[in-house]
Amino acid sequence: MALPSVYTQVYGQIPEFFQKIQEGQAPSTFTQQHLKDIGFASTNHRAFIPILKALGFLTPGGTPTNRYHDYRDKSQSRQIMGEAVKEAYSDLFLIKSHPKESDKNLIEGKFKSTHNAKDRPAELMAKTFFGLLAIADIDHSPKATVKVEKTSKSDNEDNPAKAAQPEAVMQVPVTGVQPSLHYNIQIHLPATKDIEVYNSIFKSLKEHLLG
């Protein structure tokens, strides 16, 4: 992802702005009018909209994304912002894994070289980045979730034999090769209450597979 060139001159209000996002409902489309409605009526505040788009909080058309909605949950907002900042500004994290204010000149230099920016715009880009970084947790690693599918009670009721019947696995050694090599033959027994059916199956296995 290309390094964003977005910036705001009111970077000191970044924490307040994102707090407003948490407090209010997400609009169907995030417009300049919505900015005014939540208390950011200055022309300098309009830069917040392209910043939201660069962070993946809004679609190019201004529609709030899942990331926007997830950020409204205060219990995970810093982690969500951390993911967004690391994604949007990935080029900077290649230079410094944990950028700090002491790296200001290095960060500004990257903005200058990437966007052929003059001193002041590059400085504002860097200050916008550090303003976002201040409300982000960049050390958070999302935990992998494991989904476990369970057989519903209704499935077992529809086929009681299937629910109660274990899957039989027979290991047959292969002669002429290393003793550790086996064929695994899985036998799916039919659903029946006739014991003679099972007897016939195992008798046939004994005769044809085990000799």
Side-chain angles (χ1 to χ4, degrees):
M1 187 175 185
L3 185 65
S5 60
V6 295
Y7 63 85
T8 175
Q9 296 187 49
V10 288
Y11 48 84
Q13 292 183 275
I14 287 176
E16 179 186 352
F17 170 68
F18 279 94
Q19 184 178 350
K20 288 292 185 181
I21 286 181
Q22 291 177 330
E23 294 174 352
Q25 291 184 334
S28 55
T29 304
F30 202 109
T31 62
Q32 291 182 16
Q33 182 58 51
H34 183 67
L35 268 177
K36 295 178 182 179
D37 292 342
I38 61 176
F40 297 90
S42 169
T43 54
N44 288 329
H45 293 140
R46 295 177 184 176
F48 285 141
I49 294 178
I51 290 173
L52 288 174
K53 291 179 180 179
L55 292 172
F57 278 61
L58 299 178
T59 66
T63 303
T65 62
N66 288 337
R67 178 171 286 170
Y68 183 109
H69 293 287
D70 291 342
Y71 182 80
R72 294 183 61 246
D73 178 358
K74 294 183 180 181
S75 68
Q76 61 174 344
S77 60
R78 288 184 62 84
Q79 290 83 0
I80 296 298
M81 181 60 74
E83 294 170 11
V85 169
K86 290 181 72 174
E87 179 182 300
Y89 294 92
S90 58
D91 287 1
L92 299 182
F93 289 95
L94 292 176
I95 301 173
K96 284 282 187 176
S97 59
H98 289 77
K100 299 177 182 178
E101 289 287 346
S102 57
D103 302 312
K104 175 177 174 290
N105 292 337
L106 187 63
I107 299 300
E108 286 183 17
K110 181 61 177 177
F111 281 115
K112 281 184 180 181
S113 62
T114 301
H115 301 296
N116 193 25
K118 294 182 178 180
D119 289 348
R120 182 55 177 168
E123 178 185 7
L124 291 173
M125 291 176 198
K127 287 186 175 180
T128 297
F129 167 69
F130 282 114
L132 296 168
L133 198 61
I135 58 173
D137 177 4
I138 61 173
D139 293 319
H140 173 74
S141 297
K143 295 181 179 179
T145 57
V146 180
K147 294 183 178 180
V148 179
E149 294 185 1
K150 296 181 179 180
T151 305
S152 64
K153 183 178 179 181
S154 58
D155 291 340
N156 292 339
E157 290 175 349
D158 292 339
N159 193 346
K162 179 180 179 180
Q165 182 177 293
E167 183 177 83
V169 178
M170 181 178 292
Q171 294 187 336
V172 183
V174 181
T175 58
V177 296
Q178 295 295 329
S180 59
L181 181 63
H182 294 78
Y183 282 130
N184 289 331
I185 302 175
Q186 295 186 354
I187 305 167
H188 297 272
L189 301 178
T192 178
K193 294 182 179 180
D194 188 355
I195 193 65
E196 289 302 317
V197 173
Y198 298 137
N199 290 338
S200 298
I201 291 174
F202 288 111
K203 181 179 179 182
S204 178
L205 286 171
K206 182 178 180 181
E207 291 175 356
H208 296 286
L209 295 180
L210 303 181

